[in-house]
Amino acid sequence: MPSDSSFSTHHSPLPTTQKPIIIVGGGITGLSAAWELQGQGVPYVLLEASDYLGGKVETTLTEDGFLIEKAADAFILGKPYAAQLAREVGLEAEVSHPRQDTKKLYFLRGGKLLDFPENLKMFVPLDDESFRASGVLSPEGTERFLDEVNVPPKPPTDEDESLASFVIRRFGEEALNFIVPMAAGIYVANPYELSMKAAFPQFLKMEQDYGSLIRGSRATPKASGHIFMSFRGGMGAFAQAIASKLTGDVRLNTPVLRVHSGSVTLAGGEELAASGVIVAVPAWYAAPMLGDFAEASSLIGALKVNSSVAVTLSYRAADIPFDMNMHGLLVDASEGVALKAMTVHSAKLHGRAPEDHVLVRCFFVGLEPSVARRQAMAEVERLLGATGEPLNHWYGDWRGKNPAYQVGHLEQVAQIFAALPPNVRVAGASYTGVGIPDCVNAGRTAARALAEQIKAAQALA
């Protein structure tokens, strides 16, 4: 792995008299942008409104030994950007992966916990018989699902399509109940609104390349090795590691009021000059900040959001008779319960709970946190047989804070990018992908583009 110094020697640093690039927001996108600029030898100032770095990525280790994730507990390795950055900042020794010995998953359907189908690639079965045996769909729904191999591909078009439209067209209406908990879960999305082009372009491509997702999935090799990555100290260790390597000007408790083409105005009235600005905060926060650019601000403000609440509960293992050596469960979309999914962190990843204790996280859409907590307790009791009250609880409250990626999202994002001046960029989960690897890539891409632009201008000066 290259050190900080060797990483930056591939680039010619700008003169120290060069005005810095200002990064607004110290989440994973902003931290990644700062790291990229540092490697490019470009001066930067990172401004974070809160008193910590990492944004949604926040980990708490309690005094009694529970490791609590406020948002993501891992990231996918199929997109290499986050894993690459973790190597660059020296986190190899801290890498952790979901446990294989507890890789049990259930599917709640008809009030019963069914074994999740084996031999899937995402939601696509790699053999017919194991899918038939699972019972996650009715016999009729199962056969319609497997008949996807005989559904002709949609003629090539630039027109966007919702997840629901795509799934019903290819797999049948009942398939939504099985696919939505997996495919739409990360987006907390309404499947009738979620954009396929923005969220799942790989499936659109597979349809065109192979004529069928089942045929394409079976024709392409299944990924070997680990699929997800985390860290022994939780995902917060990732943000901390990046932050610890930054040598530029990083300021906490410094909210930005307004972004201009050559400066930013802080909430206290101070104006900081900049050669460029990367706005790496969520769209609902960025829109009023970008009021100088009326069209872009309006388009950003029009981006839709969804709401979710995650409730984490701790128990003594003796108080839950169910075998908790599992990763969790997903809920059929037609089940009629508020619970959407449950993750058993104490079994999914090492070091998440003290011995003889259980840590579960329950996911809900559109509930108040206190209501979600009561629902979580009731479901752990109903489904897993828990007795007594949990030892403690924690919230991840993301009401109105999840990007919705509605049909037409990519076109709207392209309009946003075009409506901003060349030296002002917006980046992050609101625009080009909600996962941690997407945010890393967005931050570094925006930083790279501005650095190249500024260096080109410097060369002409």
Side-chain angles (χ1 to χ4, degrees), residues 327-404:
H327 283 195
L329 62 91
L330 296 173
V331 180
D332 184 293
S334 66
E335 189 67 10
V337 297
L339 180 71
K340 301 303 177 186
M342 183 186 298
T343 302
V344 183
H345 277 183
S346 49
K348 180 180 178 182
L349 290 150
H350 285 291
R352 266 44 184 178
E355 190 175 354
D356 299 324
H357 288 77
V358 171
L359 191 67
V360 299
R361 184 158 62 158
C362 300
F363 298 88
F364 302 89
V365 173
L367 295 185
E368 296 285 333
S370 60
V371 175
R373 178 176 62 85
R374 292 193 293 272
Q375 290 277 355
M377 292 167 56
E379 293 293 1
V380 174
E381 180 180 348
R382 177 174 77 96
L383 299 173
L384 308 177
T387 58
E389 297 283 312
L391 299 174
N392 209 339
H393 67 271
W394 301 264
Y395 296 122
D397 184 1
W398 307 117
R399 287 174 293 168
K401 295 181 178 179
N402 297 308

Side-chain angles (χ1 to χ4, degrees), residues 229-243:
M229 177 187 286
S230 185
F231 305 97
R232 293 178 185 175
M235 289 305 304
F238 186 39
Q240 292 168 9
I242 304 169

Side-chain angles (χ1 to χ4, degrees), residues 283-284 303-307 400-404:
W284 64 88
L303 291 171
K304 303 299 183 184
V305 293
N306 291 319
S307 296
K401 295 181 178 179
N402 297 308

Side-chain angles (χ1 to χ4, degrees), residues 2-276:
S3 66
D4 288 351
S5 58
S6 64
F7 180 71
S8 64
T9 56
H10 298 293
H11 310 281
S12 301
L14 292 176
T16 55
T17 55
Q18 172 69 40
K19 289 184 292 186
I21 290 176
I22 291 180
I23 303 163
V24 183
I28 292 297
T29 303
L31 290 171
S32 301
W35 175 252
E36 179 67 28
L37 292 175
Q38 185 165 300
Q40 296 264 3
V42 177
Y44 62 87
V45 178
L46 189 154
L47 306 174
E48 167 56 42
S50 74
D51 60 358
Y52 75 100
L53 296 170
K56 273 190 172 184
V57 175
E58 184 179 358
T59 303
T60 300
L61 180 62
T62 69
E63 291 183 358
D64 48 355
F66 291 98
L67 194 152
I68 310 301
E69 299 283 22
K70 195 169 184 181
D73 61 12
F75 56 82
I76 195 164
L77 289 169
K79 298 178 179 180
Y81 315 112
Q84 171 64 29
L85 180 51
R87 287 191 292 271
E88 291 175 15
V89 297
L91 273 177
E92 297 100 323
E94 298 302 313
V95 165
S96 174
H97 300 284
R99 293 167 56 184
Q100 295 298 305
D101 60 317
T102 59
K103 198 177 179 180
K104 178 76 173 176
L105 195 63
Y106 290 96
F107 190 70
L108 178 62
R109 179 175 185 265
K112 297 179 180 179
L113 287 176
L114 307 173
D115 288 344
F116 205 76
E118 297 180 353
N119 208 17
L120 294 181
K121 184 186 285 187
M122 184 65 169
F123 57 78
V124 181
L126 297 182
D127 73 88
D128 291 1
E129 293 312 309
S130 62
F131 191 70
R132 286 192 177 102
S134 69
V136 294
L137 297 176
S138 70
E140 297 77 15
T142 298
E143 295 310 312
R144 172 62 184 88
F145 194 110
L146 294 174
D147 192 53
E148 188 266 350
V149 292
N150 297 314
V151 176
K154 188 177 181 179
T157 175
D158 288 335
E159 186 178 348
D160 203 356
E161 182 177 14
S162 73
L163 173 65
S165 170
F166 180 84
V167 168
I168 292 170
R169 177 169 62 79
R170 295 222 55 85
F171 295 94
E173 193 161 357
E174 190 183 337
L176 267 181
N177 300 334
F178 173 67
I179 293 175
V180 164
M182 290 177 285
I186 190 173
Y187 293 93
V188 196
N190 179 337
Y192 291 91
E193 298 177 349
L194 181 61
S195 162
M196 283 296 295
K197 285 175 67 175
F200 304 109
Q202 71 272 30
F203 296 134
L204 294 174
K205 185 176 188 304
M206 185 173 284
E207 178 186 23
Q208 295 302 318
D209 290 350
Y210 293 91
S212 157
L213 267 66
I214 291 178
R215 189 179 299 118
S217 296
R218 295 177 183 182
T220 53
K222 192 174 182 179
S224 59
H226 297 290
I227 298 174
F228 294 96
M229 177 187 286
S230 185
F231 305 97
R232 293 178 185 175
M235 289 305 304
F238 186 39
Q240 292 168 9
I242 304 169
S244 71
K245 297 287 187 178
L246 297 181
T247 57
D249 187 353
V250 178
R251 307 183 194 182
L252 300 177
N253 301 303
T254 310
V256 171
L257 182 65
R258 201 80 162 182
V259 172
H260 317 287
S261 60
S263 65
V264 303
T265 301
L266 305 183
E270 180 185 358
E271 188 166 347
L272 302 180
S275 58

